[in-house]
Amino acid sequence: MSYYFVFIVARIIELLQFFMLARAIFSWFPQARGSKIAELLYLATEPIIMPFRALFDHIGAFRGFMLDIPFFCAFLALSMMESILYSLV
């Protein structure tokens, strides 16, 4: 694989991870939920989190759980993808 391709894809993954962390921090402040920044973070990260949320909706034990497990799984999946990318170079 080309080093430049890996570099660009890794930067995109890092940007998505940053957006996810920002979304998590914004969720602590209810007054910020309707802001344009919060909407942008939601639109950028929800397509990544949605498949994990659909998967965990079938598991009844995680309903009503205080932590957002699909969010953590999506973040972990992004981290693993980044590690795999770096190992290919």
Side-chain angles (χ1 to χ4, degrees), residues 35-49:
S35 71
K36 296 289 183 184
I37 296 173
E39 289 179 20
L40 172 71
L41 294 172
Y42 181 83
L43 287 173
T45 58
E46 191 59 26
I48 299 162
I49 301 170

mmCIF file with all atom_site columns, all heavy atoms in Angstrom, residues 35-49:
data_model
loop_
_atom_site.group_PDB
_atom_site.id
_atom_site.type_symbol
_atom_site.label_atom_id
_atom_site.label_alt_id
_atom_site.label_comp_id
_atom_site.label_asym_id
_atom_site.label_entity_id
_atom_site.label_seq_id
_atom_site.pdbx_PDB_ins_code
_atom_site.Cartn_x
_atom_site.Cartn_y
_atom_site.Cartn_z
_atom_site.occupancy
_atom_site.B_iso_or_equiv
_atom_site.pdbx_formal_charge
_atom_site.auth_seq_id
_atom_site.auth_comp_id
_atom_site.auth_asym_id
_atom_site.auth_atom_id
_atom_site.pdbx_PDB_model_num
ATOM 1   N N   . SER A 1 35 ? -27.213 22.864 19.291 1.00 0.00 ? 35 SER A N   1
ATOM 2   C CA  . SER A 1 35 ? -26.321 23.770 18.566 1.00 0.00 ? 35 SER A CA  1
ATOM 3   C C   . SER A 1 35 ? -25.910 23.184 17.217 1.00 0.00 ? 35 SER A C   1
ATOM 4   O O   . SER A 1 35 ? -26.023 21.985 16.972 1.00 0.00 ? 35 SER A O   1
ATOM 5   C CB  . SER A 1 35 ? -25.084 24.076 19.407 1.00 0.00 ? 35 SER A CB  1
ATOM 6   O OG  . SER A 1 35 ? -24.260 22.937 19.493 1.00 0.00 ? 35 SER A OG  1
ATOM 7   N N   . LYS A 1 36 ? -25.412 24.048 16.355 1.00 0.00 ? 36 LYS A N   1
ATOM 8   C CA  . LYS A 1 36 ? -24.970 23.617 15.026 1.00 0.00 ? 36 LYS A CA  1
ATOM 9   C C   . LYS A 1 36 ? -23.763 22.688 15.116 1.00 0.00 ? 36 LYS A C   1
ATOM 10  O O   . LYS A 1 36 ? -23.639 21.746 14.338 1.00 0.00 ? 36 LYS A O   1
ATOM 11  C CB  . LYS A 1 36 ? -24.618 24.830 14.165 1.00 0.00 ? 36 LYS A CB  1
ATOM 12  C CG  . LYS A 1 36 ? -25.790 25.713 13.873 1.00 0.00 ? 36 LYS A CG  1
ATOM 13  C CD  . LYS A 1 36 ? -26.721 25.030 12.921 1.00 0.00 ? 36 LYS A CD  1
ATOM 14  C CE  . LYS A 1 36 ? -27.871 25.974 12.590 1.00 0.00 ? 36 LYS A CE  1
ATOM 15  N NZ  . LYS A 1 36 ? -28.859 25.344 11.760 1.00 0.00 ? 36 LYS A NZ  1
ATOM 16  N N   . ILE A 1 37 ? -22.880 22.933 16.083 1.00 0.00 ? 37 ILE A N   1
ATOM 17  C CA  . ILE A 1 37 ? -21.702 22.069 16.248 1.00 0.00 ? 37 ILE A CA  1
ATOM 18  C C   . ILE A 1 37 ? -22.136 20.675 16.663 1.00 0.00 ? 37 ILE A C   1
ATOM 19  O O   . ILE A 1 37 ? -21.626 19.677 16.148 1.00 0.00 ? 37 ILE A O   1
ATOM 20  C CB  . ILE A 1 37 ? -20.721 22.672 17.270 1.00 0.00 ? 37 ILE A CB  1
ATOM 21  C CG1 . ILE A 1 37 ? -20.181 23.994 16.741 1.00 0.00 ? 37 ILE A CG1 1
ATOM 22  C CG2 . ILE A 1 37 ? -19.587 21.709 17.569 1.00 0.00 ? 37 ILE A CG2 1
ATOM 23  C CD1 . ILE A 1 37 ? -19.339 24.751 17.732 1.00 0.00 ? 37 ILE A CD1 1
ATOM 24  N N   . ALA A 1 38 ? -23.085 20.587 17.584 1.00 0.00 ? 38 ALA A N   1
ATOM 25  C CA  . ALA A 1 38 ? -23.576 19.286 18.027 1.00 0.00 ? 38 ALA A CA  1
ATOM 26  C C   . ALA A 1 38 ? -24.243 18.539 16.872 1.00 0.00 ? 38 ALA A C   1
ATOM 27  O O   . ALA A 1 38 ? -24.078 17.324 16.743 1.00 0.00 ? 38 ALA A O   1
ATOM 28  C CB  . ALA A 1 38 ? -24.543 19.457 19.187 1.00 0.00 ? 38 ALA A CB  1
ATOM 29  N N   . GLU A 1 39 ? -24.982 19.260 16.038 1.00 0.00 ? 39 GLU A N   1
ATOM 30  C CA  . GLU A 1 39 ? -25.609 18.626 14.878 1.00 0.00 ? 39 GLU A CA  1
ATOM 31  C C   . GLU A 1 39 ? -24.555 18.104 13.900 1.00 0.00 ? 39 GLU A C   1
ATOM 32  O O   . GLU A 1 39 ? -24.694 17.013 13.355 1.00 0.00 ? 39 GLU A O   1
ATOM 33  C CB  . GLU A 1 39 ? -26.543 19.610 14.179 1.00 0.00 ? 39 GLU A CB  1
ATOM 34  C CG  . GLU A 1 39 ? -27.802 19.913 14.951 1.00 0.00 ? 39 GLU A CG  1
ATOM 35  C CD  . GLU A 1 39 ? -28.687 20.920 14.237 1.00 0.00 ? 39 GLU A CD  1
ATOM 36  O OE1 . GLU A 1 39 ? -28.522 21.101 13.014 1.00 0.00 ? 39 GLU A OE1 1
ATOM 37  O OE2 . GLU A 1 39 ? -29.543 21.507 14.911 1.00 0.00 ? 39 GLU A OE2 1
ATOM 38  N N   . LEU A 1 40 ? -23.496 18.891 13.669 1.00 0.00 ? 40 LEU A N   1
ATOM 39  C CA  . LEU A 1 40 ? -22.419 18.459 12.789 1.00 0.00 ? 40 LEU A CA  1
ATOM 40  C C   . LEU A 1 40 ? -21.735 17.203 13.336 1.00 0.00 ? 40 LEU A C   1
ATOM 41  O O   . LEU A 1 40 ? -21.480 16.252 12.591 1.00 0.00 ? 40 LEU A O   1
ATOM 42  C CB  . LEU A 1 40 ? -21.384 19.574 12.624 1.00 0.00 ? 40 LEU A CB  1
ATOM 43  C CG  . LEU A 1 40 ? -20.108 19.177 11.886 1.00 0.00 ? 40 LEU A CG  1
ATOM 44  C CD1 . LEU A 1 40 ? -20.394 18.965 10.408 1.00 0.00 ? 40 LEU A CD1 1
ATOM 45  C CD2 . LEU A 1 40 ? -19.032 20.211 12.085 1.00 0.00 ? 40 LEU A CD2 1
ATOM 46  N N   . LEU A 1 41 ? -21.466 17.190 14.639 1.00 0.00 ? 41 LEU A N   1
ATOM 47  C CA  . LEU A 1 41 ? -20.836 16.021 15.255 1.00 0.00 ? 41 LEU A CA  1
ATOM 48  C C   . LEU A 1 41 ? -21.730 14.794 15.142 1.00 0.00 ? 41 LEU A C   1
ATOM 49  O O   . LEU A 1 41 ? -21.262 13.692 14.877 1.00 0.00 ? 41 LEU A O   1
ATOM 50  C CB  . LEU A 1 41 ? -20.502 16.307 16.714 1.00 0.00 ? 41 LEU A CB  1
ATOM 51  C CG  . LEU A 1 41 ? -19.439 17.375 16.958 1.00 0.00 ? 41 LEU A CG  1
ATOM 52  C CD1 . LEU A 1 41 ? -19.337 17.690 18.439 1.00 0.00 ? 41 LEU A CD1 1
ATOM 53  C CD2 . LEU A 1 41 ? -18.103 16.933 16.406 1.00 0.00 ? 41 LEU A CD2 1
ATOM 54  N N   . TYR A 1 42 ? -23.029 15.001 15.339 1.00 0.00 ? 42 TYR A N   1
ATOM 55  C CA  . TYR A 1 42 ? -23.977 13.896 15.235 1.00 0.00 ? 42 TYR A CA  1
ATOM 56  C C   . TYR A 1 42 ? -24.012 13.353 13.799 1.00 0.00 ? 42 TYR A C   1
ATOM 57  O O   . TYR A 1 42 ? -23.966 12.143 13.583 1.00 0.00 ? 42 TYR A O   1
ATOM 58  C CB  . TYR A 1 42 ? -25.363 14.361 15.672 1.00 0.00 ? 42 TYR A CB  1
ATOM 59  C CG  . TYR A 1 42 ? -26.404 13.277 15.613 1.00 0.00 ? 42 TYR A CG  1
ATOM 60  C CD1 . TYR A 1 42 ? -26.544 12.377 16.666 1.00 0.00 ? 42 TYR A CD1 1
ATOM 61  C CD2 . TYR A 1 42 ? -27.247 13.133 14.520 1.00 0.00 ? 42 TYR A CD2 1
ATOM 62  C CE1 . TYR A 1 42 ? -27.486 11.370 16.616 1.00 0.00 ? 42 TYR A CE1 1
ATOM 63  C CE2 . TYR A 1 42 ? -28.188 12.139 14.461 1.00 0.00 ? 42 TYR A CE2 1
ATOM 64  C CZ  . TYR A 1 42 ? -28.308 11.257 15.518 1.00 0.00 ? 42 TYR A CZ  1
ATOM 65  O OH  . TYR A 1 42 ? -29.240 10.266 15.463 1.00 0.00 ? 42 TYR A OH  1
ATOM 66  N N   . LEU A 1 43 ? -24.081 14.253 12.827 1.00 0.00 ? 43 LEU A N   1
ATOM 67  C CA  . LEU A 1 43 ? -24.142 13.815 11.428 1.00 0.00 ? 43 LEU A CA  1
ATOM 68  C C   . LEU A 1 43 ? -22.859 13.120 10.988 1.00 0.00 ? 43 LEU A C   1
ATOM 69  O O   . LEU A 1 43 ? -22.896 12.206 10.165 1.00 0.00 ? 43 LEU A O   1
ATOM 70  C CB  . LEU A 1 43 ? -24.409 15.007 10.514 1.00 0.00 ? 43 LEU A CB  1
ATOM 71  C CG  . LEU A 1 43 ? -25.819 15.575 10.555 1.00 0.00 ? 43 LEU A CG  1
ATOM 72  C CD1 . LEU A 1 43 ? -25.900 16.856 9.724  1.00 0.00 ? 43 LEU A CD1 1
ATOM 73  C CD2 . LEU A 1 43 ? -26.822 14.559 10.051 1.00 0.00 ? 43 LEU A CD2 1
ATOM 74  N N   . ALA A 1 44 ? -21.726 13.518 11.539 1.00 0.00 ? 44 ALA A N   1
ATOM 75  C CA  . ALA A 1 44 ? -20.450 12.917 11.148 1.00 0.00 ? 44 ALA A CA  1
ATOM 76  C C   . ALA A 1 44 ? -20.220 11.570 11.814 1.00 0.00 ? 44 ALA A C   1
ATOM 77  O O   . ALA A 1 44 ? -19.564 10.701 11.242 1.00 0.00 ? 44 ALA A O   1
ATOM 78  C CB  . ALA A 1 44 ? -19.304 13.866 11.492 1.00 0.00 ? 44 ALA A CB  1
ATOM 79  N N   . THR A 1 45 ? -20.740 11.382 13.010 1.00 0.00 ? 45 THR A N   1
ATOM 80  C CA  . THR A 1 45 ? -20.420 10.164 13.765 1.00 0.00 ? 45 THR A CA  1
ATOM 81  C C   . THR A 1 45 ? -21.530 9.119  13.802 1.00 0.00 ? 45 THR A C   1
ATOM 82  O O   . THR A 1 45 ? -21.245 7.943  13.989 1.00 0.00 ? 45 THR A O   1
ATOM 83  C CB  . THR A 1 45 ? -20.048 10.525 15.214 1.00 0.00 ? 45 THR A CB  1
ATOM 84  O OG1 . THR A 1 45 ? -21.140 11.230 15.820 1.00 0.00 ? 45 THR A OG1 1
ATOM 85  C CG2 . THR A 1 45 ? -18.795 11.373 15.260 1.00 0.00 ? 45 THR A CG2 1
ATOM 86  N N   . GLU A 1 46 ? -22.751 9.522  13.626 1.00 0.00 ? 46 GLU A N   1
ATOM 87  C CA  . GLU A 1 46 ? -23.847 8.556  13.745 1.00 0.00 ? 46 GLU A CA  1
ATOM 88  C C   . GLU A 1 46 ? -23.782 7.440  12.702 1.00 0.00 ? 46 GLU A C   1
ATOM 89  O O   . GLU A 1 46 ? -24.086 6.289  13.032 1.00 0.00 ? 46 GLU A O   1
ATOM 90  C CB  . GLU A 1 46 ? -25.201 9.266  13.692 1.00 0.00 ? 46 GLU A CB  1
ATOM 91  C CG  . GLU A 1 46 ? -26.362 8.381  14.071 1.00 0.00 ? 46 GLU A CG  1
ATOM 92  C CD  . GLU A 1 46 ? -26.266 7.788  15.483 1.00 0.00 ? 46 GLU A CD  1
ATOM 93  O OE1 . GLU A 1 46 ? -25.609 8.373  16.352 1.00 0.00 ? 46 GLU A OE1 1
ATOM 94  O OE2 . GLU A 1 46 ? -26.861 6.723  15.698 1.00 0.00 ? 46 GLU A OE2 1
ATOM 95  N N   . PRO A 1 47 ? -23.357 7.685  11.447 1.00 0.00 ? 47 PRO A N   1
ATOM 96  C CA  . PRO A 1 47 ? -23.243 6.556  10.510 1.00 0.00 ? 47 PRO A CA  1
ATOM 97  C C   . PRO A 1 47 ? -22.224 5.506  10.948 1.00 0.00 ? 47 PRO A C   1
ATOM 98  O O   . PRO A 1 47 ? -22.324 4.350  10.560 1.00 0.00 ? 47 PRO A O   1
ATOM 99  C CB  . PRO A 1 47 ? -22.798 7.224  9.202  1.00 0.00 ? 47 PRO A CB  1
ATOM 100 C CG  . PRO A 1 47 ? -23.269 8.617  9.303  1.00 0.00 ? 47 PRO A CG  1
ATOM 101 C CD  . PRO A 1 47 ? -23.182 8.967  10.757 1.00 0.00 ? 47 PRO A CD  1
ATOM 102 N N   . ILE A 1 48 ? -21.260 5.887  11.764 1.00 0.00 ? 48 ILE A N   1
ATOM 103 C CA  . ILE A 1 48 ? -20.281 4.931  12.280 1.00 0.00 ? 48 ILE A CA  1
ATOM 104 C C   . ILE A 1 48 ? -20.854 4.162  13.461 1.00 0.00 ? 48 ILE A C   1
ATOM 105 O O   . ILE A 1 48 ? -20.633 2.962  13.605 1.00 0.00 ? 48 ILE A O   1
ATOM 106 C CB  . ILE A 1 48 ? -18.993 5.664  12.696 1.00 0.00 ? 48 ILE A CB  1
ATOM 107 C CG1 . ILE A 1 48 ? -18.395 6.369  11.489 1.00 0.00 ? 48 ILE A CG1 1
ATOM 108 C CG2 . ILE A 1 48 ? -17.992 4.723  13.340 1.00 0.00 ? 48 ILE A CG2 1
ATOM 109 C CD1 . ILE A 1 48 ? -17.409 7.431  11.847 1.00 0.00 ? 48 ILE A CD1 1
ATOM 110 N N   . ILE A 1 49 ? -21.612 4.837  14.295 1.00 0.00 ? 49 ILE A N   1
ATOM 111 C CA  . ILE A 1 49 ? -22.156 4.226  15.514 1.00 0.00 ? 49 ILE A CA  1
ATOM 112 C C   . ILE A 1 49 ? -23.409 3.397  15.219 1.00 0.00 ? 49 ILE A C   1
ATOM 113 O O   . ILE A 1 49 ? -23.658 2.389  15.892 1.00 0.00 ? 49 ILE A O   1
ATOM 114 C CB  . ILE A 1 49 ? -22.459 5.319  16.556 1.00 0.00 ? 49 ILE A CB  1
ATOM 115 C CG1 . ILE A 1 49 ? -21.182 6.086  16.894 1.00 0.00 ? 49 ILE A CG1 1
ATOM 116 C CG2 . ILE A 1 49 ? -23.065 4.738  17.815 1.00 0.00 ? 49 ILE A CG2 1
ATOM 117 C CD1 . ILE A 1 49 ? -21.404 7.328  17.714 1.00 0.00 ? 49 ILE A CD1 1
#
